[in-house]
Amino acid sequence: MMRRGILAALSAAVIGLGVGASVSAAEFEAPPLQDWSFSGIFGAYEKASLQRGFQVYREVCAGCHSMKLVAYRNLSALGYSEKEVKAFAAEAEVTDGPNDDGEMFPRPGLPSDRFVPPFANDQAARAANNGAFPPDLSVLTKARYRRMGWEGSDYIYAVLTGYHDEPPADFQEKYREEQKKKNKDREEKDKKEIKDFQVAEGMNFNLYFPGYQIAMPPPLADDGVEFADGTKATVKQMAKDVTTFLAWAAEPEMEERKRLGIKVILFLLVLTGLLFALKRKIWADLH
Amino acid sequence: MTVSEWPKQAVSWFDERLPVFTFMQHELNEYPTPRNLSYWWNFGSLAGIVLVVMIATGIVLAMHYTPHVDMAYDSIEQRIMRDVNYGWLMRYVHLNGASMFFLLVYIHLFRGLYYGSYKAPREVLWWLGIILLLLMMMTAFMGYVLPWGQMSFWAATVITNLFSAIPLIGDQIVTWLWGGFAVGNPTLNRFYSLHYLMPFVIVGVVMLHLVALHMHGSNNPLGIDRKEERDSIPFHPYYTIKDALGLGVFFIVFAVFVFFAPNFLGEAENYVRANPFQTPAEIVPDWYFLPYYAILRSITFDIWFIPAKLIGVTAMFGSLMLLFALPWLDTSKVRSARFRPIYKQVYWVFVVDCLVLGWVGANRPEGHILIIGQVATAYYFLHFLVLMPLIGWFEKPRPLPDSISKAVLERPAPPAEAGTGGAE
């Protein structure tokens, strides 16, 4: 009785978590799951992809998006030499000071500096982007994770590749169906007219962004960057690489964490096995 | 052990002055324990160990955390997660440890409900357990606010605002709790202070919980008192090894979350910095608060002149306060549900009801979900206030065994009863 009850309870709990997480205010398509090199218990970041992804961030995203939590010195984890890291840091201009005269002064960035943000403050970022705020990308993959759904990286990849000039016809059909379904639950006076999805002024259609539209114009175009390693810079390739880079930025400890986790769990399995044998031996004389 | 005599002498010298060794001998070594405890009796000691883990990791985290609205988020996401050696490990152990703590305590509590562990003479033990649960909730809530992410901020706003439901002085109380006219830096600071204090209060109450436990010893799956000498076995080595085995299994589960799914149990939205000007699409607490949240949000109607909010808050707190009266609401003389054919069924309905409440709590209270939540809330109170007293009166319990040892030793172990056993 107890055992059966628990199974029922457990499955109910799992379903509860899943369904609970799938509720959202604005509608969007669930991002398709990708096959990431860094998912799974043995997952690791692919160094070449990280470097390409950093290049995409540096040449495309960094114009608007900050990554305030990441320091230039962290880039050595991408496989860059100390000299290369120093060079990347030096490209940025950091305001330091005050000096002995009490003046603030600009200097080239050092590896110990955090990524210098593109705008002085949030207001400046909004002002330059039509009122929309380009979010900080440091932990974006963690912030867009959906329990029992997708990884943050799946979502980011989907948004980067989910642009359409016009809402596709099959989308419009589905959109109308959704509206009809909603109307069914509504009171007579609250019923809304069924019409096609209209992209608002200054917005861009994106299948995977909540509300189906996003202020960010399509950031990636084929051959938008020229990869140092000769990889062809298709939109999908760039999206995959920059997402890998963002996943690393959000969870730089991931590889170490998983490696340690495997050791810890192997140790615990052996220990628990020994404890199990000991338990049986000690309890044997009681029966 | 017999290399030298002096450690023994030193021990007895010290013990005559402060009897710690005698105490340990009595309470941890020879402490007589029912011989038939199942693995459901592991969860109390497991919770105790997680409490120690939480305090240990918490103290380390506190060395690197900065309780200021402008710096709290960075001190965790930047310093602890990236720069502090194994800071990510401390943080993820602490973060998931909170969930594990509640998981263990809820299993512990539902074990007590099934086997009637709250009945005489263990009522005070039960009360102390509920107080521990309440203290844990306060601690967990305040800890959740500390990272100062979106969920932190909005959870603090929603929960402190509950006090505004108190008639007449509600708003003043909320201002007093906040230390200002909105959730802000003073709020964060006091939450940090209290989050550091509360675990030690919990340790104190755990001590009392243990003293109360050791007055009459553990209840057991049969729910009958020990009568003969062979009903009991010494705590050590029998239950030390059984607890250790349970700990091994539990740590494996814990480690899977910490190392491979550290954010599975949390809300992703909390990785977004707190923004007082932007309400998140959904304000959802962590899973262990969902049933209470469902009860709170199920009350959408005023009753006479009493506003819905006040009823909701009262229902939510009442759902817990009710547990204090449980020893008297349950009118059955029989402790273990194993001998209570009707209560046993109703018990599982109640478990499902709590899970349904949890599911409702994770969803918007609209449409059929709201209705389900209201029915589940009503059933929650019905279970305690009506079913428990009635079943106790009308139910005909199955005959109880004469003694624990008779039931365990003189009968082939009943394989159908999964609750009995464990590895015996």
Side-chain angles (χ1 to χ4, degrees), chain A residues 124-176:
Chain A
R126 270 187 199 282
N129 284 285
N130 245 336
F133 180 68
D136 185 272
L137 300 183
S138 309
V139 291
L140 198 67
T141 61
K142 285 204 283 191
R144 295 293 182 270
Y145 159 75
R146 180 64 59 93
R147 179 170 46 228
M148 316 290 260
W150 53 85
E151 295 295 323
S153 38
D154 296 322
Y155 170 84
I156 292 169
Y157 178 84
V159 167
L160 288 175
T161 56
Y163 285 92
H164 294 266
D165 295 336
E166 285 290 316
D170 57 336
F171 164 79
Q172 293 292 25
E173 201 174 308
K174 233 166 89 190
Y175 182 75
R176 283 195 301 266

Side-chain angles (χ1 to χ4, degrees), chain B residues 42-72:
Chain B
N42 276 51
F43 291 87
S45 74
L46 286 179
I49 288 163
V50 172
L51 174 61
V52 174
V53 170
M54 292 302 278
I55 290 177
T57 50
I59 287 173
V60 176
L61 289 172
M63 293 173 187
H64 303 284
Y65 171 76
T66 311
H68 187 282
V69 289
D70 294 334
M71 289 179 270

